[in-house]
Amino acid sequence: MIFRKRGPRLTPVTKTEVVKRLLEMAPVKIGNSDKAVLVFFDLRCPFCARLFKEAEETLVEMASRGVITFAMCDYVVHKDAEPLHRKLRCTAEDERLKFIAEAFSGKKVEVGDCPEGNLRECERLAEEVGVYGTPTIIFYNFAKGRGYIHFGYMSPSEVLEAISAL
């Protein structure tokens, strides 16, 4: 028997207004393209960390060139991650990717006392588009008013494949 590697499972999504609101709330947003890549993550999720370490540089570079809008939106699954997500929202915008990298590296990160911000609103909206865990990635084309959602880890090549499908 020959086993073939299957491509990523992409589920159609057509909730343009909800995706736009999620992009507005995302603590990390780079670029301003009609094509968006929105990653829902938990700072204690090992597969979120892997996805970030492997794909973040490429996604930031694509967003800087205007190919995509790259955003990261909190979706707290692990209770001990909530203070980290609050701290992320208290961190200066230009320092947030560095904060995420430090949290994912396992370094001790000082969290201090930060307000919740719109963390719960972000999670509520995420559930409206079908997010139920992390990592989850939405690939959305605003010009077409549709996109795809993927649940779970994706390799960088699978991420690029999904972007090209937009």
Side-chain angles (χ1 to χ4, degrees), residues 15-122:
K15 296 192 174 195
T16 300
E17 291 309 311
V18 176
V19 175
K20 280 183 183 177
R21 291 256 306 123
L22 284 163
L23 283 175
E24 290 168 9
M25 287 185 190
V28 173
K29 182 180 172 200
I30 303 165
N32 193 19
S33 171
D34 273 351
K35 295 178 181 179
V37 177
L38 178 56
V39 178
F40 294 90
F41 70 105
D42 179 304
L43 286 166
R44 290 288 189 226
C45 163
F47 286 101
C48 298
R50 181 177 174 194
L51 176 66
F52 182 83
K53 290 173 185 172
E54 294 177 356
E56 178 257 347
E57 188 177 317
T58 300
L59 294 171
V60 167
E61 187 268 329
M62 290 177 78
S64 299
R65 286 193 343 237
V67 176
I68 62 169
T69 299
F70 170 54
M72 296 181 71
C73 202
D74 326 76
Y75 191 84
V76 179
V77 176
H78 300 86
K79 290 243 183 259
D80 64 332
E82 187 170 323
L84 290 169
H85 284 273
R86 288 180 182 204
K87 174 66 175 178
L88 172 64
R89 289 174 171 275
C90 287
T91 302
E93 276 188 51
D94 62 341
E95 294 291 317
R96 290 179 181 173
L97 285 174
K98 181 180 172 193
F99 178 85
I100 293 169
E102 287 177 4
F104 280 149
S105 75
K107 291 180 184 174
K108 178 90 170 117
V109 179
E110 291 299 319
V111 292
D113 187 28
C114 293
E116 185 175 292
N118 58 7
L119 189 57
R120 296 291 165 240
E121 178 69 7
C122 193

Side-chain angles (χ1 to χ4, degrees), residues 9-15 129 140 146-149:
R9 281 191 44 172
L10 300 172
T11 304
V13 173
T14 56
K15 296 192 174 195
V129 291
Y140 209 84
R146 62 181 165 82
Y148 306 96
I149 189 169

